[in-house]
Amino acid sequence: MAKSPLMDEPSLHDEAARAGWLYYLGGMTQDQIAAELGVSRQRAQRLVSRAVAEGLIQVRLSHRIGACLDLEAALTDRFGLARARVAPFAGPGVDPVRATSPAAAAELERVLRMAEGKVIALGTGRSLRGMVDAMDEIAAAQHRLVSLIGNIAPDGSASFFDVVMRLADKVRAPHYPMPVPVISTTEAENDAFHALAPVQRVVELARKADVIFVGVGQMSDDAPLLKDGFVTRDELDAMQAADACGEVAGWVYDSSGQYLDLGTNRRTGGVRVEPNLPRPAIGIAAGAQKTAAIAAALKARILNGLVTDEPTAEALLKL
């Protein structure tokens, strides 16, 4: 039986693109690249040179490796995704955010270049900040940018990973931060903030967003919400006892992707990403510690799009 083109051996362009990615983004030496690709050092050197000579390496990789395309097709089929981008593996020990940021930036730029004005809603976190930092400046005043989550940290300071204003500086678009705490001290306080007319207007805009970009946080002992001081150890323990698996825009869900009706979910500010939205809700996330959280969000249709890296995509497809 003839092999499908998707099952063919990697092309020379594929090898050159991967070698260039590992050299310029992964920071590998030519010896390390040779070991990773299973080729001689001389061939690794030629592949890196070819990637540059053929214009495959610029500020971001312009050739999408065939293996990544295969994974994108498999993820789309498995989870019924509207959008899927898989970044090449950047090498052992490299922060997955560094690998996914250029691919996420390209996806955001695709939306920003649309002539028709869109409402673009964004979560917060390292992955989204990396996405914004990696993107080009684009004149996109036809769009409106709105935050899904509060931008006030527990100590009253601005949330460090808020991205709406950072993005607005690059695209010169109107922007609407969510002027509430990420998580209020009490339910009554949260209700009081959301009763304010300016907050209601931002909430309404976020709820009718045309496209959503969010990170995905795990709810294990290294949960970002705990690390960044938004939940206490006791609160995390209580939510873990209720099968907390992940969070999107601060809203915690269990291993089946059902939002919990307890803990900080009763005090979280902003707008929750509801399952089965008829418009793109794209998660930007990668890393072994996030795999279960990503899978739950995809299965429950909280997310219908994903930007991730090769190892995470492969792990998701094995679940």
Side-chain angles (χ1 to χ4, degrees), residues 183-223:
I183 298 174
S184 294
T185 305
T186 66
E187 292 181 54
E189 180 182 273
N190 190 45
D191 291 343
F193 273 110
H194 281 78
L196 298 173
V199 174
Q200 290 180 351
R201 286 193 286 271
V202 176
V203 166
E204 182 60 27
L205 184 65
R207 283 178 175 158
K208 65 180 184 182
D210 297 297
V211 59
I212 293 167
F213 290 90
V214 289
V216 179
Q218 68 274 19
M219 289 300 291
S220 46
D221 289 344
D222 60 345

Side-chain angles (χ1 to χ4, degrees), residues 27 37 42 78 80 89 104 107 114 133 140 156 171 176 218 227 229 254 275 282 287:
L37 298 183
Q42 290 75 20
R78 171 75 177 276
F89 178 50
E107 184 65 16
M114 293 179 178
D133 287 347
V171 303
Y176 303 82
Q218 68 274 19
K227 180 179 179 181
D254 63 20
I282 301 169

Side-chain angles (χ1 to χ4, degrees), residues 88-245:
F89 178 50
V94 177
D95 186 350
V97 171
R98 189 177 176 189
T100 58
S101 291
E107 184 65 16
L108 177 57
E109 288 172 13
R110 182 187 67 84
V111 175
L112 289 168
R113 289 193 175 98
M114 293 179 178
E116 182 182 355
K118 304 289 184 184
V119 177
I120 304 170
L122 300 112
T124 61
R126 292 177 63 249
S127 294
L128 267 71
R129 181 166 176 168
M131 172 183 72
V132 174
D133 287 347
M135 65 171 288
D136 295 330
E137 292 192 7
I138 298 173
Q142 71 274 29
H143 303 303
R144 288 180 289 173
L145 314 174
V146 60
S147 180
L148 287 168
I149 188 170
N151 67 345
I152 303 174
D155 63 358
S157 64
S159 177
F160 181 72
F161 292 114
D162 186 76
V163 299
V164 166
M165 288 183 282
R166 199 178 190 90
L167 177 57
D169 284 342
K170 282 199 166 185
V171 303
R172 299 294 186 267
H175 58 288
Y176 303 82
M178 188 68 67
V180 300
V182 175
I183 298 174
S184 294
T185 305
T186 66
E187 292 181 54
E189 180 182 273
N190 190 45
D191 291 343
F193 273 110
H194 281 78
L196 298 173
V199 174
Q200 290 180 351
R201 286 193 286 271
V202 176
V203 166
E204 182 60 27
L205 184 65
R207 283 178 175 158
K208 65 180 184 182
D210 297 297
V211 59
I212 293 167
F213 290 90
V214 289
V216 179
Q218 68 274 19
M219 289 300 291
S220 46
D221 289 344
D222 60 345
L225 288 178
L226 177 67
K227 180 179 179 181
D228 296 334
F230 293 113
V231 304
T232 66
R233 180 70 248 187
D234 287 345
E235 288 171 331
L236 180 60
D237 287 343
M239 288 187 284
Q240 286 178 338
D243 191 33
C245 178

Side-chain angles (χ1 to χ4, degrees), residues 240-264:
Q240 286 178 338
D243 191 33
C245 178
E247 56 90 7
V248 165
W251 295 86
V252 181
Y253 52 86
D254 63 20
S255 58
S256 66
Q258 301 299 307
Y259 286 113
L260 300 179
D261 185 21
L262 53 80
T264 57

